[in-house]
Amino acid sequence: MSSTPEIRPRSPKVVVIGAGIVGCSLADELTARGWTDVTVLEQGPLPAPGGSTSHAPGLVFRTSPSKTLAEFAKYTVEKFNALEVDGVPCFQQVGGLELATTPERLADLHRRAGYAAAWGIRGEIVDAARCKELWPLLDESVVLGGFHTPDDGLARALLASRAQLERATARGARFLDRHTVTGIEQENGRVTAVVTDRGTFPADHVVSAAGFWGPVIGRMAGIDVPLQPLAHQYVKTKPLPELAGHAAEASRPILRYQDRDLYFREHTDRIGIGSYAHRPLPVDPFAVPAYEDARARDMEMPSSYPFTTEDWTPSWEDCRRLIPALGASEVEEGFNGVFSFTPDGMPVLGESRRLRGFWLAEAVWVTHSAGVARAVAEWMVDGRPALDVHECDLTRFEDAQRSPSYVRERGCQQFAEVYDVLHPLQPMEQPRPLRVSPFYARQQELGAFFLEGGGWERPHWYEANAPLAEGMSLPERDAWSARYWSPIAAAEARATREKVALYDMTPLRRLEVTGPGALDFLDRMTTNNLRKKPGAVTYSLLLDERGGVRSDLTVARLAPDRFQVGANSPGDLDWLTRHAPADVQIRDITSGTCCIGVWGPLARDLVQPLTRDDFSHEAFGYFRAKETYLGHVPVTALRLSYVGELGWELYTTADLGLRLWDTLWEAGRDLGVIAAGRSAFNSLRLEKGYRAWGTDMTDEHDPFEAGVGFAVRRDKEFVGRSALSDSPPTRRLTALLLDDPAAVVLGKEPVSVDGVPSGYVTSASYGYTLGRCIAYAWLPTLPTGTAVQIAYLGEKVAATVAEEPLFDPKMTRIRR
């Protein structure tokens, strides 16, 4: 009796460019998922092809302010711990130790310990004596304390590459060295092949994992890769008598001396030292020599540039102060190793919108390599990573952030700040200002304090409002939470609650969706009912196929086939464009338009005299839209409020923006109108429990966990509907009120329930109306009134689960 053989779908042809740690990891992850037709092309010789992997010192510290990077690193350690080559393990779990020699750094280590607890990484703050026990060569007198992470350690990057290469090869992948890529072929907007100096390789998918050569490969594909290679100094000392007789490659924790931008690791009887203390040394990726050319120039490999002694000298003195045993030693060898930085310090991952099938896995350090490879493999095979990667998505950069000069300048700054103590609100210093709203000149006149986001200058408060803060009773803040904060924010929040304020909402992304199929398309892509008459505004969600919240939107139907969509990121445009049928056009109109939020109990008193249209609640209800004129200015008015007060979002074209501001300002003088900033805005929106996508919720969360299930209509079809569960959530985005009116937290702190770490804070701000700090946190489902503890700067801060919304639960202030 015969049986019909199973017909399996053809494995897509994948070409990976680059056989460093990322390319090898990706080939392993893809073939493990059944995509076995994988070809990895490498211009250098294997197993050490000469890129950043070939010289990587291998230090793996998993703790990061970014949950995503921490998860990447955790998986990398887990995977490499299980790999070995010829009996040699690919990871040595010696632990990690970060030192503090200043009070500011010690406070920062407490914050890092909080990140570790939030992301599930073992670690503890230790005193100077314990630091000395862990690293006996330290001068204990200069150390105030440290952060010890026992499960960190050293990745043997070339061995890990080889181990994964062999596993992938066993499943059908092939690795071809000495193949230099010379072109990327494409047809009808899709990649078709990779051309090399030794032949052409057809491909359904091409992944650039070329490291600092990424921009070179990107140019062949017509894709900008926002990556700046920089050289970084690394030395090895002569053998130290204090380490004589050591058989192991390393026995002490990897060490960071961040106050002097240095790190250390053992090489048996020598010490390897890396420095970020020197001036940035940018490298032109288009001028990096090929492997043989590098050898001809007496370079060990293309990624190893000649050592610049003058850059090293100050760091050597710092090394000797920390480790006195180095006083009798010398540097035996050193080089300037090239690796990649991006404008925001994060990897660049994902499929290009301009060239389908062309993927990037760039600006990835060894620390995150296996985790990144798993995410990209899941993305390619399953359609999305299991982990939220929006911080790394290649679509995150605005056009204004992709110029070569911007990428170079910001990349160099990222290098300089690798070990700096950075506040979560701290903006980059240059190049600024880059993007400004039409109201910028007026904001400057009012003494706006600007922070930056997405290239935009964003007022956080206005010094002109300082007199309003006089006499207000506010709790005193610690030095950290007082940075990038002013009591003026409290005055602006109160003015919004009591009178009326103007908010610059221009940086919020706006898409115009038009065409005969616009309604059907948007209704299918989003969770709420959009089949309403023109003039309706609907809050809705974009879900992925697994039911995760990709974004939240406000969709205004301005005409039967014309919609204005308030979105979050360039990724929203990419997602919608990918799914749009031929009869739908999508256009980003953000840069050509502007927006003022007019909010407060006197908002109607301000705008009504400026228009002949009826702005009463009966004629212009909540979540309604109207195209009208205010004075001489045509506006699209949306009856929305993200601060919990009566008001409108008023949109016009950029050329008329200044006229709109002046019209509203003059009309509001007798009403006591003020300009208010994002610091007050954030406080007010948290009092109302309004979620911020990317901070409070991502595609790792479903709508019901995130508290936005009210925007889901189960009686219609939409992307992700079938993946939504009917079971009650086991975790929720939970509102917390801090018990002590003087206590504050800022976000990303771990939260414990009954002394057990159980979640982490997403957004936090002082609620000036409530007189308490508000924190939203991902936690197991807990009843209202449950006591929890939030770790802040090493202290336990008491908080209580609160019922939402915290302010005006009946919405009487908005709907009036």
Side-chain angles (χ1 to χ4, degrees):
M1 183 176 179
S2 63
S3 60
T4 303
E6 179 184 357
I7 300 176
R8 296 184 178 181
R10 177 181 70 86
S11 175
K13 289 183 179 297
V14 180
V15 175
V16 179
I17 302 172
I21 189 67
V22 178
C24 292
S25 297
L26 181 58
D28 182 43
E29 296 288 339
L30 284 171
T31 55
R33 287 165 174 78
W35 282 24
T36 55
D37 192 348
V38 176
T39 300
V40 183
L41 302 174
E42 174 53 58
Q43 65 176 342
L46 291 173
S52 299
T53 301
S54 300
H55 67 68
L59 284 75
V60 177
F61 287 91
R62 294 166 301 157
T63 302
S64 168
S66 165
K67 180 176 180 290
T68 300
L69 289 187
E71 294 293 344
F72 285 161
K74 286 166 62 179
Y75 180 73
T76 300
V77 168
E78 176 187 331
K79 185 176 186 181
F80 289 2
N81 248 331
L83 296 177
E84 63 177 40
V85 175
D86 298 332
V88 179
C90 293
F91 191 81
Q92 192 171 1
Q93 209 152 32
V94 293
L97 179 62
E98 303 181 46
L99 300 177
T101 59
T102 65
E104 293 77 15
R105 180 67 62 180
L106 187 58
D108 190 56
L109 293 187
H110 278 286
R111 285 186 288 274
R112 291 183 60 76
Y115 298 144
W119 315 145
I121 297 170
R122 280 206 307 157
E124 63 174 340
I125 298 296
V126 296
D127 61 16
R130 178 59 176 153
C131 292
K132 178 75 170 178
E133 288 178 14
L134 292 166
W135 248 86
L137 299 185
L138 294 176
D139 180 355
E140 181 183 357
S141 68
V142 303
V143 177
L144 298 181
F147 174 45
H148 181 221
T149 48
D151 302 321
D152 289 340
L154 292 166
R156 296 183 172 98
L158 286 177
L159 274 188
S161 296
R162 181 179 158 191
Q164 294 176 102
L165 178 155
E166 292 174 354
R167 296 196 335 173
T169 301
R171 300 188 193 107
R174 57 177 176 165
F175 288 75
L176 304 176
D177 62 0
R178 305 290 188 174
H179 281 64
T180 299
V181 174
T182 59
I184 306 293
E185 293 186 349
Q186 51 187 287
E187 185 177 335
N188 298 324
R190 185 163 190 92
V191 70
T192 58
V194 177
V195 182
T196 76
D197 58 349
R198 298 175 65 179
T200 297
F201 297 83
D204 301 305
H205 297 273
V206 173
V207 185
S208 177
F212 55 77
W213 282 289
V216 179
I217 301 300
R219 179 175 292 183
M220 296 178 192
I223 304 300
D224 293 330
V225 180
L227 177 160
Q228 175 61 55
L230 287 110
H232 160 64
Q233 292 201 308
Y234 191 78
V235 305
K236 292 180 182 178
T237 68
K238 287 185 173 182
L240 297 180
E242 292 83 355
L243 299 180
H246 282 214
E249 179 185 353
S251 58
R252 296 176 174 88
I254 52 178
L255 186 68
R256 274 176 168 170
Y257 181 21
Q258 290 138 303
D259 288 324
R260 290 295 183 269
D261 296 308
L262 295 165
Y263 62 82
F264 304 81
R265 58 154 294 182
E266 294 171 293
H267 291 278
T268 312
D269 61 351
R270 301 188 295 169
I271 294 179
I273 309 168
S275 171
Y276 294 99
H278 56 83
R279 62 194 167 96
L281 300 168
V283 173
D284 181 356
F286 295 91
V288 175
Y291 190 90
E292 296 301 335
D293 293 338
R295 303 285 286 187
R297 298 185 198 178
D298 293 325
M299 297 167 61
E300 184 178 344
M301 62 185 83
S303 61
S304 179
Y305 274 53
F307 189 65
T308 49
T309 305
E310 65 276 14
D311 291 309
W312 173 253
T313 302
S315 290
W316 185 233
E317 295 305 314
D318 291 329
C319 294
R320 287 171 159 176
R321 278 192 291 271
L322 181 69
I323 303 175
L326 295 176
S329 183
E330 296 178 3
V331 171
E332 187 171 66
E333 59 180 286
F335 65 95
N336 290 1
V338 182
F339 64 134
S340 305
F341 284 82
T342 59
D344 59 4
M346 299 293 285
V348 182
L349 313 177
E351 185 184 19
S352 168
R353 181 172 53 195
R354 296 180 180 177
L355 181 59
R356 296 301 183 215
F358 184 81
W359 296 77
L360 296 181
E362 298 290 12
V364 182
W365 295 6
V366 172
T367 298
H368 311 113
S369 55
V372 163
R374 178 177 66 169
V376 174
E378 290 170 340
W379 210 339
M380 296 174 71
V381 175
D382 302 329
R384 59 152 282 185
L387 180 70
D388 166 54
V389 296
H390 81 273
E391 293 176 310
C392 310
D393 195 316
L394 63 88
T395 64
R396 71 187 183 272
F397 293 111
E398 306 284 349
D399 289 343
Q401 297 173 304
R402 305 185 77 94
S403 71
S405 58
Y406 183 95
V407 172
R408 177 187 172 95
E409 191 166 353
R410 295 260 178 160
C412 289
Q413 187 66 20
Q414 285 293 333
F415 177 93
E417 293 179 348
V418 161
Y419 283 166
D420 286 1
V421 176
L422 299 176
H423 194 277
L425 293 177
Q426 184 170 331
M428 298 284 279
E429 294 182 1
Q430 295 295 334
R432 290 180 64 195
L434 184 63
R435 306 176 79 187
V436 299
S437 78
F439 327 127
Y440 184 65
R442 298 293 184 265
Q443 293 165 343
Q444 287 181 303
E445 292 169 3
L446 294 170
F449 180 85
F450 293 100
L451 297 179
E452 180 264 352
W456 287 102
E457 294 296 315
R458 299 185 176 196
H460 274 242
W461 65 82
Y462 295 84
E463 290 297 329
N465 296 326
L468 301 178
E470 294 176 1
M472 294 188 71
S473 178
L474 295 171
E476 185 175 347
R477 291 201 168 206
D478 64 271
W480 186 248
S481 65
R483 293 185 67 185
Y484 305 104
W485 173 85
S486 169
I488 296 172
E492 293 176 358
R494 183 172 67 180
T496 307
R497 291 277 187 242
E498 296 178 354
K499 293 185 180 180
V500 62
L502 306 185
Y503 287 82
D504 181 2
M505 306 302 290
T506 299
L508 297 183
R509 183 167 305 277
R510 293 171 290 286
L511 308 177
E512 182 182 70
V513 182
T514 58
L519 174 59
D520 289 341
F521 167 66
L522 287 174
D523 197 53
R524 183 179 72 254
M525 293 300 297
T526 66
T527 60
N528 214 336
N529 175 31
L530 301 187
R531 298 186 181 281
K532 303 171 184 176
K533 294 179 180 179
V537 181
T538 306
Y539 177 80
S540 195
L541 307 173
L542 285 180
L543 304 186
D544 61 25
E545 288 84 352
R546 296 183 188 177
V549 181
R550 282 192 56 93
S551 189
D552 62 340
L553 312 175
T554 53
V555 183
R557 191 177 189 187
L558 303 179
D561 59 358
R562 179 166 60 92
F563 295 80
Q564 179 174 303
V565 177
N568 284 296
S569 73
D572 294 342
L573 175 62
D574 178 66
W575 179 257
L576 291 172
T577 301
R578 285 175 184 269
H579 291 84
D583 62 349
V584 174
Q585 295 78 48
I586 306 173
R587 187 165 64 99
D588 190 328
I589 61 173
T590 309
S591 297
T593 56
C594 58
C595 178
I596 299 175
V598 182
W599 290 313
L602 301 183
R604 184 174 288 114
D605 299 75
L606 194 159
V607 297
Q608 184 61 81
L610 299 173
T611 178
R612 294 180 179 179
D613 285 309
D614 187 351
F615 270 55
S616 68
H617 181 66
E618 294 72 21
F620 196 164
Y622 193 51
F623 270 91
R624 300 293 299 171
K626 189 185 296 286
E627 293 181 295
T628 184
Y629 287 86
L630 295 182
H632 298 94
V633 182
V635 299
T636 300
L638 306 186
R639 178 85 185 276
L640 301 175
S641 174
Y642 284 92
V643 299
E645 296 293 336
L646 170 69
W648 289 264
E649 293 178 0
L650 303 174
Y651 297 89
T652 192
T653 52
D655 59 323
L656 290 168
L658 190 60
R659 184 60 177 265
L660 176 61
W661 180 281
D662 289 344
T663 298
L664 294 169
W665 190 260
E666 186 60 34
R669 283 186 183 277
D670 293 340
L671 301 173
V673 69
I674 67 161
R678 293 195 65 83
S679 187
F681 175 89
N682 197 47
S683 171
L684 296 169
R685 70 104 180 163
L686 284 176
E687 289 184 334
K688 284 298 295 179
Y690 294 143
R691 277 64 168 149
W693 185 86
T695 301
D696 297 318
M697 58 185 180
T698 68
D699 61 10
E700 289 185 7
H701 311 111
D702 75 38
F704 304 100
E705 296 172 327
V708 289
F710 62 87
V712 176
R713 290 288 298 268
R714 296 282 196 132
D715 59 351
K716 68 164 213 168
E717 290 298 323
F718 54 83
V719 173
R721 180 182 181 276
S722 60
L724 295 178
S725 173
D726 291 323
S727 302
T730 57
R731 63 173 180 175
R732 291 185 187 275
L733 184 62
T734 305
L736 306 175
L737 280 177
L738 274 60
D739 295 352
D740 183 351
V744 296
V745 296
L746 299 180
K748 299 188 178 181
E749 295 88 357
V751 183
S752 296
V753 182
D754 295 329
V756 178
S758 303
Y760 59 92
V761 174
T762 57
S763 294
S765 180
Y766 201 84
Y768 301 109
T769 315
L770 303 176
R772 290 283 192 282
C773 183
I774 305 162
Y776 272 80
W778 280 102
L779 290 169
T781 301
L782 298 170
T784 300
T786 301
V788 302
Q789 304 81 39
I790 304 173
Y792 180 73
L793 293 178
E795 302 292 331
K796 295 291 187 182
V797 179
T800 302
V801 174
E803 187 173 355
E804 295 188 79
L806 303 173
F807 175 78
D808 188 26
K810 295 184 178 180
M811 304 283 283
T812 57
R813 299 177 71 89
I814 292 176
R815 294 189 171 101
R816 57 180 174 183

